């Protein structure tokens, strides 16, 4: 039985760990070949090696047009084309008063969480137009829908990413390019302590879990499941959607 993404080529940023790694692994299980792109070159190599011939590791700073272009060219050299782009790489500031965030950190957050979507579109959309369409998935956050205190600038970056997703979807639909976002609630990833603004202890986790009706944080497998479906032919009518993977947090 073939997978839901059989024969597809996907480029996943921030794929050395967390949600990105989960997406890359799920895509390969579903028959896709995947470019594991990450600033952490060693981590990307580790993930790609575990996935075998179906994966290619590339070091990529998503805030750099030249590095994104080089990574895209490596994708074409290895696999010949691209069908799916997952803008998953993200960063945050520590949970705390908004004025404690320095301008340099603010700029970095918007560069990774927002500008990278713009740069990737400049690189990938012309290719999709030439090849009768494609899928772009932006991994955003419930922070852009129902913000938590202490993460003001991160929340703003994810709100921008959600709005950009909808606008891209409308503009690119005539080109048969679907654009959707996945908005997870706080997840069990390497950024967790920064989101919490306190040590990751069972007691501190419980304070945040209490705000999620389903009773737990999101996991890479939750986001990966959404990413598989949204990139598949089953979701052919889905574009401009912000899919909340949040256990009821945004209700």
């Amino acid at each position: 039985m073939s997978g839901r993404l059989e024969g597809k080529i996907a480029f996943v940023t921030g794929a050395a760990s967390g949600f990105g790694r989960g997406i890359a692994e799920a895509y390969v299980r579903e028959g896709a070949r995947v470019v594991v792109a990450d600033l952490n070159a060693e981590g990307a190599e580790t993930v790609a090696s575990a996935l075998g011939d179906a994966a290619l590791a590339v070091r990529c700073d998503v805030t750099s047009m030249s590095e994104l272009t080089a990574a895209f060219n490596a994708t074409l050299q290895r696999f010949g084309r691209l069908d799916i782009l997952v803008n998953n790489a993200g960063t945050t500031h520590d949970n705390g008063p908004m004025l404690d965030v320095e301008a340099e950190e603010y700029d970095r957050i918007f560069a990774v969480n927002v500008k990278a979507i713009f740069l990737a579109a400049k690189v990938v959309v012309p290719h999709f137009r030439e090849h009768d369409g494609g899928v772009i998935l932006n991994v955003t956050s419930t922070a852009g829908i129902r913000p938590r205190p202490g993460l003001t600038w991160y929340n703003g970056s994810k709100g921008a990413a959600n709005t950009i997703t909808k606008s891209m979807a409308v503009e690119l639909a005539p080109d048969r390019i679907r654009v959707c976002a996945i908005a997870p609630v706080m997840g069990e990833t390497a950024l967790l302590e920064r989101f919490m603004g306190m040590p990751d202890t069972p007691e501190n986790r419980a304070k945040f879990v209490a705000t999620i009706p389903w009773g737990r944080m999101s996991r890479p497998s939750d986001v990966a499941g959404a990413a598989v479906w949204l990139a598949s032919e089953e979701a052919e009518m889905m574009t401009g959607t912000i899919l909340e993977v949040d256990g009821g947090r945004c209700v």
Side-chain angles (χ1 to χ4, degrees):
M1 181 177 176
S2 62
R4 286 181 286 176
L5 301 178
E6 193 67 36
K8 299 294 185 181
I9 311 300
F11 187 100
V12 184
T13 69
S17 62
F19 294 149
R21 179 172 186 165
I23 292 167
E25 292 171 344
Y27 275 13
V28 170
R29 285 196 301 271
E30 291 291 339
R33 288 172 288 174
V34 177
V35 178
V36 179
D38 205 288
L39 190 61
N40 176 3
E42 184 178 348
E45 287 286 356
T46 298
V47 173
S49 295
L51 295 175
D53 292 340
L56 169 68
V58 295
R59 183 198 180 279
C60 184
D61 178 351
V62 296
T63 69
S64 165
M65 175 67 89
S66 62
E67 291 201 20
L68 277 166
T69 300
F72 176 66
N73 289 338
T75 302
L76 297 187
Q77 185 174 1
R78 173 71 175 269
F79 297 123
R81 69 175 197 283
L82 182 66
D83 303 295
I84 303 162
L85 167 67
V86 182
N87 290 308
N88 166 76
T91 191
T92 185
H93 55 85
D94 290 335
N95 191 314
M98 67 182 195
L99 298 185
D100 286 355
V101 176
E102 298 297 332
E104 293 79 9
E105 187 167 35
Y106 172 94
D107 288 343
R108 177 66 180 167
I109 290 163
F110 273 78
V112 175
N113 296 355
V114 183
K115 186 179 180 181
I117 299 173
F118 161 76
L119 295 176
K122 297 277 278 186
V123 173
V124 169
V125 167
H127 176 81
F128 283 169
R129 282 175 167 157
E130 291 172 6
H131 292 81
D132 302 317
V135 178
I136 299 173
L137 300 181
N138 299 321
V139 179
T140 63
S141 173
T142 56
I145 302 168
R146 190 179 178 193
R148 294 178 188 268
L151 291 169
T152 292
W153 311 120
Y154 171 79
N155 296 341
S157 73
K158 292 302 186 177
N162 285 336
T163 299
I164 286 168
T165 297
K166 289 179 175 292
S167 189
M168 287 176 67
V170 173
E171 184 167 342
L172 298 178
D175 298 309
R176 314 309 295 165
I177 300 170
R178 296 193 295 108
V179 188
C180 292
I182 301 169
V185 74
M186 181 181 288
E188 298 172 0
T189 71
L191 291 177
L192 179 56
E193 284 198 350
R194 300 199 72 190
F195 287 133
M196 293 170 63
M198 58 186 71
D200 180 15
T201 66
E203 294 77 16
N204 287 337
R205 275 201 187 201
K207 298 174 185 177
F208 289 89
V209 170
T211 69
I212 304 170
W214 195 246
R216 66 169 174 85
M217 295 181 181
S218 66
R219 298 169 183 158
S221 59
D222 300 318
V223 176
V228 167
W229 180 69
L230 283 173
S232 74
E233 295 301 323
E234 297 169 13
E236 189 254 340
M237 195 61 174
M238 304 293 288
T239 196
T241 298
I242 312 296
L243 184 59
E244 298 161 14
V245 182
D246 70 343
R249 158 73 182 162
C250 290
V251 174

